Amino acid sequence: MNELIIELTEISPRDFFGHQNETVELLKKYFPKLKIVARGSKIKVYGDEELLEEFDKKFDALTNQFAKYNKLDENMIERVLTSNGQEDYQSSKSSGDVLVHGVSGRLIKAQTVNQRKMVDACTKNDMVFAIGPAGTGKTYTGVALAVKALKEKQVRRIILTRPAVEAGENLGFLPGDLKEKLDPYMQPLYDALRDMIAPEKLAKYIEDGTIQIAPMAFMRGRTLDNAFVILDEAQNTTHAQMKMFLTRMGKNAKFLLTGDPGQIDLPRRVISGLKEALLILKNVKGIQIVYLDDKDVIRHGLVKKVISAYKTIEHQN
């Protein structure tokens, strides 16, 4: 049996291996055919020579990431171990900077590799699609980018919109006027804003139109310029709605469209405007598509397991 011995010299073994050797446990999971033993600053690995070579490369990538960021979380470890190359898990240094100093001194920044790719994409392009399952931080990161642009006076207003598709629920039966019916539907957007802007200032911004939160129907006929515009839940747009929205783009505008093609609430036989747009716009210069996945989930740890379990069922159907 072949043996590989690696000694950590420049970095702290305790910090690198993690509490209760979490890093080692993940390495064992991804290299089940290798025997891995970590003691002190050394890690000994036994097994097939080819597998040892691959392990050595991945381990080197992990130590480089740790040296760069002084930490390794489970998402990053998984990303490095399952990647084909550095481009899958590295992004520009500036994309990891604080986006917004939120309420109560909260520091809001992109937390995962693909969220950082979103930041990079929005810096370099005027139109970005962020695609991925629930909990991957698409909307939250997008709102942070919009608030940053407003605070830095890159835009004069933020416009947040969603297609008002009734996901098995009938809005008409809810009490109140149109605003009262729609406000709960727009709640995720309000929640993100409340983390980033003090209540009095947020109320003022909404009152004077600096921040507008409205269903897609309110976009028709408008030209959206000097604005950071986010279309959330874009998978629930129809062909006509998506075309209408995309053609609202005015001067000095940033458009970010977020969505999950796996959670479409449209009636059967109605084609998702998002799915169609991803096909026809994928090669258009100035438009970038960023894909997030279950490794970007930053909600409760069980969310990642739920997504994985549903993925198994959906692939069987």
Side-chain angles (χ1 to χ4, degrees):
M1 188 178 282
N2 299 293
E3 180 186 50
L4 171 70
I5 300 174
I6 304 170
E7 185 164 8
L8 297 173
T9 53
E10 303 288 320
I11 56 181
S12 159
R14 182 184 293 179
D15 293 338
F16 179 79
F17 290 134
H19 181 60
Q20 296 183 332
N21 274 358
E22 291 142 332
T23 304
V24 178
E25 292 308 309
L26 278 168
L27 285 166
K28 287 178 180 177
K29 177 184 169 186
Y30 283 93
F31 291 94
K33 293 182 180 178
L34 295 177
K35 183 182 178 184
I36 302 167
V37 181
R39 284 206 180 95
S41 62
K42 287 184 181 178
I43 185 163
K44 293 183 180 181
V45 193
Y46 306 90
D48 179 75
E49 190 174 349
E50 218 172 279
L51 275 174
L52 289 178
E53 280 180 25
E54 187 187 344
F55 180 92
D56 196 22
K57 284 179 188 172
K58 295 292 187 186
F59 195 85
D60 189 48
L62 285 172
T63 55
N64 286 339
Q65 283 297 112
F66 185 85
K68 190 174 179 182
Y69 296 105
N70 290 315
K71 68 173 185 176
L72 272 182
D73 59 24
E74 186 179 337
N75 282 329
M76 177 53 75
I77 294 168
E78 286 190 20
R79 183 73 63 186
V80 171
L81 294 178
T82 58
S83 68
N84 295 316
Q86 289 186 4
E87 65 280 358
D88 288 343
Y89 60 83
Q90 284 192 348
S91 51
S92 73
K93 191 176 178 184
S94 62
S95 66
D97 293 346
V98 173
L99 296 173
V100 179
H101 290 80
V103 176
S104 303
R106 184 173 183 173
L107 301 180
I108 295 165
K109 57 183 178 179
Q111 295 184 47
T112 70
V113 174
N114 285 327
Q115 288 176 14
R116 290 197 288 273
K117 284 182 181 176
M118 269 184 71
V119 175
D120 278 342
C122 286
T123 303
K124 296 169 185 171
N125 302 273
D126 287 338
M127 186 178 290
V128 173
F129 289 79
I131 309 301
T136 51
K138 307 180 299 294
T139 303
Y140 198 83
T141 304
V143 172
L145 283 164
V147 172
K148 180 178 188 286
L150 183 67
K151 287 187 173 183
E152 293 178 356
K153 296 185 166 45
Q154 295 169 17
V155 296
R156 291 182 197 159
R157 55 191 175 149
I158 294 171
I159 298 170
L160 308 174
T161 186
R162 281 179 149 198
V165 172
E166 301 168 15
E169 301 157 27
N170 194 325
L171 294 176
F173 286 102
L174 293 173
D177 59 21
L178 182 63
K179 184 179 184 300
E180 288 168 327
K181 288 176 193 283
L182 288 168
D183 271 0
Y185 186 72
M186 301 292 179
Q187 200 61 47
L189 302 172
Y190 284 113
D191 288 345
L193 286 168
R194 287 187 188 112
D195 277 356
M196 300 172 202
I197 302 173
E200 309 79 26
K201 198 162 192 178
L202 179 57
K204 181 180 178 297
Y205 277 155
I206 291 173
E207 190 180 340
D208 66 18
T210 301
I211 294 178
Q212 300 169 28
I213 305 173
M216 271 198 78
F218 286 63
M219 302 297 115
R220 194 171 297 279
R222 300 179 66 185
T223 300
L224 307 175
D225 51 15
N226 295 306
F228 197 115
V229 186
I230 298 175
L231 170 56
D232 196 34
E233 300 285 349
Q235 75 274 5
N236 288 328
T237 58
T238 62
H239 162 87
Q241 286 175 322
M242 179 60 80
K243 186 181 176 185
M244 178 275 289
F245 175 78
L246 294 176
T247 54
R248 298 307 92 202
M249 195 174 200
K251 292 177 182 177
N252 190 39
K254 287 269 187 187
F255 271 37
L256 174 65
L257 299 89
T258 71
D260 175 6
Q263 285 193 335
I264 295 170
D265 298 315
L266 292 165
R268 283 188 178 189
R269 295 183 186 149
V270 176
I271 297 169
S272 164
L274 176 64
K275 280 191 170 182
E276 186 180 57
L278 292 174
L279 284 173
I280 63 176
L281 300 177
K282 63 182 177 183
N283 297 319
V284 176
K285 195 174 179 182
I287 298 176
Q288 186 171 339
I289 302 168
V290 178
Y291 288 95
L292 298 95
D293 55 38
D294 52 359
K295 295 186 188 71
D296 298 295
V297 171
I298 50 175
R299 291 181 182 170
H300 193 288
L302 281 173
V303 175
K304 193 181 292 188
K305 293 176 182 176
V306 168
I307 291 169
S308 180
Y310 270 93
K311 204 182 281 182
T312 306
I313 295 171
E314 287 159 3
H315 285 167
Q316 287 172 354
N317 293 336

